[in-house]
Every structure is written in structure tokens, then in C-alpha cells.
Amino acid sequence: MNDDGRSDISLRVNDVTHGLNVDNRTTLLDALRDALDLTGSKKGCDRGQCGACTVLLDGRRVVSCLTLAVAAEGTEITTVEGLAPDGELRPLQRAFIQLDGFQCGYCTSGQLCSAVGMLAEHAAGWPSAATVDVSADASAQELDAVEVRERMSGNLCRCGAYPSIVRAVLETADQQAVTR
Amino acid sequence: MKEFGYRRVKHVQEALALTANDTGARYLGGGTNLVDLMKDEIEAPSQLVDVRFLPLSGVREAPDGGLAIGATTSNSDAAAHPEVRRRYPALSQAVLAGASGQLRNMATVGGNLLQRTRCAYFADPSEPCNKRLPGSGCPALPGEHHNHAIFDWSRHCVATHPSDMAVALAAFDAVVHYETLDGPAEIPLSEFYLPVGDTPHRETALPPGALITAVSLPKSAACPRSRYRKVRERASYAFATVSVAAALELHDGLVGRVGIALGGVASRPWRARVAEAALHGEPFTGAGLRDAAEAELAAAKPLRDNGYKVTLARNLIVAVLTELAER
Ligand SMILES: Cc1cc2nc3c(=O)[nH]c(=O)nc-3n(C[C@H](O)[C@H](O)[C@H](O)COP(=O)(O)OP(=O)(O)OC[C@H]3O[C@@H](n4cnc5c(N)ncnc54)[C@H](O)[C@@H]3O)c2cc1C
Ligand code: SF4
Ligand code: FES
Ligand code: FES
């Protein structure tokens, strides 16, 4: 039943469906952290400015602090907890560890989800603001450090781990190119 | 945040009926502007009508041979669309220059057009602001305004419109299509945003309750030789200080259609019609271009601390059009 300020919703997170009765004001970030105890997604700014709360909706990266939980019903939500569902880290996560892609780790879950979405966007041929020729006839821009910095600019890191984050993303992109 | 109801709609008529029956209702696109402003109760809708499930998503061929971009198309999908990139590349570049990858995935084309013209005082409920609370004053005018308007502001408000996308749409003569209970209607982008005057809280010519359905780009404005360039205080993920969208056609050294629009300089995308008129039909020369840019900026009225934008805008027009001419 939906009264005016609350809604019964079901959220599908990391392949599990959860029934919830939420205040419509609840952001997806708060629903994940407080109602579902998935505290991997972090709250930095709560205003769409830092990227710490990044999750994937139907494979696309979004900030969960500006997404209302009611508005996320019907999507497949993937959080950082869902990136390694059987405990086996993905190449991107291993690269972050091997190349020191973090210091305090607060921004890391957002960086990881964002990078997964970003690599898929690049593989789909999406240009970026760093792409010299956006015209569709141009061959897909190769991912280099400039492209990665631009495409990942929605994720801030107070520890300034950027150089290693860029390296980890590029290393993962190289591996994916080999296995594709 | 104030309490609100939430409805998903599948039909345009259903959406229009809901907002007609409840003047406090607002449409919800990606929520990247609306939800942000609701957190401080700067916006306090009684009801959100989620428009993302309406059949208004996607890019299609328009009857005149141009393109129509549905209102609920995400900013990302609009920017990545092959025909947008081929025919109106400056639009793709402008969208990609805005916000972040995450926000562009959420944001819709309709919501991008209707994001509030705003400034930091507007976003701070502890400050007065004529836009938020008509008649309370504009603290930016005597205060912090280095990133505010240089054209067509009034003492009631000096904020700039933040959209990058709208600047490119202005250069391409885009038309906004909408529906009300009276039926479909359209309005050219050049008339979509209202002059500030003494009513800064009224930002667009859209009738109350109107639902934007699409934005169309005329065939005649298609221009592969077009470019969007944005200057900002950091390399990425910041609003424009000044930006320019330009489309240039050259025939045997003579300027054919030319569209130039500036961002970050006014409460709406600033169509540089004076510069366009000076260039159109004339041979393209460096001196002619500098004069045209100079003539456009002659009408600028910088505030105490943003005179640098006049120089920046002039130089950007010259740099971008020179680059386009040399292609
Ligand atoms: C951190 C941050 C950085 C940003 N940086 C930039 C930037 O650099 N450049 C830039 O251009 N933008 C920037 N933005 C703004 C962003 O582009 C806009 O918030 C976004 O485009 C709004 O789209 P939306 O679908 O999320 O709109 P919403 O927030 O859902 O809605 C905005 C308004 O539009 C109305 N609305 C939505 N759809 C319709 C419709 N179909 N018909 C009628 N009314 C409708 C809503 O009722 C609301 O009033 C930034 C935003 C954030 C949070
Ligand atoms: S410039 Fe406009 S939005 Fe900013 S404080 Fe003044 S009235 Fe408000
Ligand atoms: S917490 Fe969501 S972007 Fe900062
Ligand atoms: S690792 Fe500390 S904020 Fe990024």
C-alpha cells in the first residue's frame, strides 16, 4: 500500500530482491546502507559532487545519493558488494590492490563501481569530453590516462590516489582488451 | 526534505492530469537538480510525477530531415548517439562537458533544460535571494559574483544558466516541444528562457504544468564543422566560466550559415547574433573575426569582479571559429 508519503517497494540488489516500506524521501544510498546494511557504498557529500556513493543501475553508473529509492524500483542494482559475489575479486579490484589505488579507502567503492561502468561505456564506443573527434565515423578513442581522468572525474579522492587509480583502470582495460 | 507523494506514469495524458490537479506536483527526471534542491527545501513539491517511463526516450529522425531528441533520453544517450555526433557534434561535446559520467547517465534532456538558473546564494537558504524569495534582495550583486553574468542581467538577479547542452542547442536553432492539456505546442530555444527583468523566479516561457516531450534540431542547422569549448576553473567536472558553441559553414572562403552561442555569461544561453551578422556573407578573415567578436562583447556589462569574462568570451569566439575555419 502506498500512502502519500511512503511506498512499498522491492529493490533488487546484487541479484537478491528485498521488500521495503520506505519514506519517499529516502535516497537509494540511505536505503542500501541503513535498511539493507550494505555499507560498502559511502556517503561523502550527499549532493552528487564526490562519487563515493556510486552504484550501477542496470549496468550504468549513477550516484545513489541523488537517486530516490522509490525511483530505483525495477532496476538491477549492483553495489561494490556485488562486484565480487562469490568472494573472488575481479581484475579491477586486484589491480587496485596491486597498484595502491587507494589510501584510506573511503572513495574506493565508488571508484570501483564507477570504473566498471566507465569501462563498459568505453567498450560501447561512447566518446568523452577528452575525445578529440566525437564524430561517429572516427574510430573509437583508445583509452589513455587523459581519457581515464576525464571519464573518472566524477569520483573525488581526498587522499589523492589518482595516479594509481588511473594506472589500475588502464591495466584492467588492457587485460579486458586481451580477453575480448 | 518535505514529505511528498511519488507516482510513475506511462502516458503523457496521465502525467498532465496529475500536475493539473495538484499545483504542487513536479515532474521528476533524473532528479539530479530537483532532488538536490529538495534536500534544502529550496524545492518542496507535494508530489513527484516520474516521467522516465513515458514513451519519450530516444533520438529519431524529424519530419524536416533533422533530429528529434526525446525529453526523457538520458544526457549520456543523447551525447553518444551516432547521428547527433555526425550531424551536430558540438551538441555531443557540450553534453559531455557537463557534470560527470554518473550524473549524465541519470540526467534527462528535459530536466537539463529546466535545471534552475542559480548561484551559491540561491542554494543557501540562510541567505536572501530574489529568485528563491522574490523581493528579498540579491546578495551576489554586492557580494561574490566573479562567476556571474555579463549580459542582460538586472539588479534583481545576476545568476547564469548552468547548462552546457542548452548552449549548443542555441547555436543549432533547436526547438522545444511540449504538451499541455490543450495539446502539443513548441517554442524556439531562443525564446524559451525569459529575460531576468524584475521576475528572476520566472525562468522559462513554459506554461504551468507543461511537459517537455522533445527537443528538435532543424536539418538546416546540421553542421559537422561545429565545436563546443568550455573554460572552467578545473579541467573537468565544474560549471563553465565561459563556454562557446559554434557552427560554421564556409563556401569558397565566404561565411555561410554561422551559429555562435555563449554559456556562463547570462541567465540563458547567449546567442551571439551581433557577431553572426558581422560574419555572415563576408570573406572569413582573422581581422573580420576579431571585429565581430569585439562587436558582440560591446554590449557586455560586467559586474565589479567579472570583467575577465569579457576578454575570455571574446578570445574564445576567436579561437574556436579560427579552429573551425582551419579544418
Ligand atoms: C555536482 C553536479 C555538477 C553538475 N555540473 C554540470 C555542468 O558542468 N554542466 C551542466 O550543464 N550541468 C551540470 N549539472 C546539472 C545537471 O546537468 C542537471 O542537474 C541535469 O541535467 C538535470 O536533469 P534531470 O533529468 O536530473 O532533472 P531533474 O532534477 O529531474 O529535474 C529538473 C527540473 O526539470 C523538471 N522536468 C524534468 N523533466 C521534465 C519534463 N520532461 N517536462 C517538464 N519538466 C521537467 C523538473 O520538474 C525539475 O523542475 C551538475 C549537477 C550536479 C549535481
Ligand atoms: S544572483 Fe540571482 S540566484 Fe544568485 S543570489 Fe542573486 S537573485 Fe539569487
Ligand atoms: S555522496 Fe553521492 S556523490 Fe557524494
Ligand atoms: S583513498 Fe582516501 S579518499 Fe580516496
Side-chain angles (χ1 to χ4, degrees), chain B residues 97 147 162 164 167 227-245 262-265 308-309 311-317 319-320:
Chain B
N147 206 14
D164 292 292
V167 178
R227 162 113 154 93
Y228 185 74
R229 186 164 161 196
K230 177 177 182 181
V231 175
R232 41 188 156 176
E233 290 177 350
R234 58 186 184 201
S236 184
Y237 202 19
F239 290 105
T241 299
V242 179
S243 67
V244 63
L262 297 169
V265 297
Y308 75 98
K309 284 196 178 190
T311 319
L312 189 52
R314 186 195 60 209
N315 291 353
L316 259 184
I317 293 175
V320 169

Side-chain angles (χ1 to χ4, degrees), chain B residues 59 85 87 89 110 124 203 209 268 289 301 324:
Chain B
V59 179
R85 289 155 63 187
R87 296 188 232 170
D124 178 354
E203 292 174 359
R268 57 184 190 274
L289 176 59
K301 284 186 298 174
L324 288 176

Side-chain angles (χ1 to χ4, degrees), chain A residues 4-5 24-25 46-49 54 60-63 65-68 70-71 73 114 121 125-127 129 134-137 150 153-155, chain B residues 1-8 32 35-36 39-40 48 50 52 74 76-77 80 82 85-86 89 93 96 100-103 105-106 236-237:
Chain A
D4 236 25
N24 292 340
R25 295 173 289 191
D46 212 20
R47 290 307 172 102
Q49 298 173 359
T54 302
R60 290 195 174 188
R61 52 185 175 153
V62 303
V63 287
C65 67
L66 292 183
T67 304
L68 296 170
V70 278
E73 189 176 28
S114 185
E121 292 166 7
W126 291 13
V134 298
S135 79
D137 310 318
E150 166 57 32
S153 70
N155 291 84
Chain B
M1 221 189 280
K2 291 263 168 58
E3 284 201 338
F4 56 87
Y6 172 85
R7 301 280 179 284
R8 280 187 186 185
T32 60
V35 173
D36 192 14
K39 289 190 176 190
D40 282 323
L48 290 181
D50 194 334
R52 296 170 305 145
S74 74
S76 297
D77 285 329
R85 289 155 63 187
R86 185 172 289 126
Q93 290 174 328
L96 293 169
S100 66
Q102 290 94 318
L103 292 162
N105 281 341
M106 300 167 71
S236 184
Y237 202 19

Side-chain angles (χ1 to χ4, degrees), chain B residues 264-289:
Chain B
V265 297
S267 62
R268 57 184 190 274
W270 186 258
R271 184 74 186 264
R273 296 207 188 267
V274 175
E276 289 175 11
L279 291 168
H280 185 79
E282 301 291 325
F284 186 91
T285 65
L289 176 59

Side-chain angles (χ1 to χ4, degrees), chain B residues 117-122 128-132 137-141 148 156-159 200:
Chain B
T117 300
R118 57 196 188 270
C119 85
Y121 295 106
F122 171 78
C129 165
N130 283 330
K131 189 181 278 293
R132 184 163 24 80
C138 173
L141 194 53
H148 289 59
H156 301 282
C157 180
V158 291

Side-chain angles (χ1 to χ4, degrees), chain A residues 47-50 66, chain B residues 26-36 43 48 51 54 56 71-72 75 94-95 97-100 103 106-116 118 162-166 206 210-213 230 232 237-240:
Chain A
R47 290 307 172 102
Q49 298 173 359
C50 74
L66 292 183
Chain B
R26 301 291 296 275
Y27 298 121
L28 176 71
T32 60
N33 189 221
L34 187 53
V35 173
D36 192 14
E43 302 266 15
L48 290 181
V51 299
L54 293 172
L56 297 176
T72 59
N75 284 196
V95 174
S100 66
L103 292 162
M106 300 167 71
T108 61
V109 165
N112 189 318
L113 282 176
L114 286 182
Q115 62 174 302
R116 298 298 303 269
R118 57 196 188 270
S163 171
D164 292 292
M165 181 189 81
L206 213 55
L211 176 79
I212 299 181
T213 52
K230 177 177 182 181
R232 41 188 156 176
Y237 202 19
F239 290 105

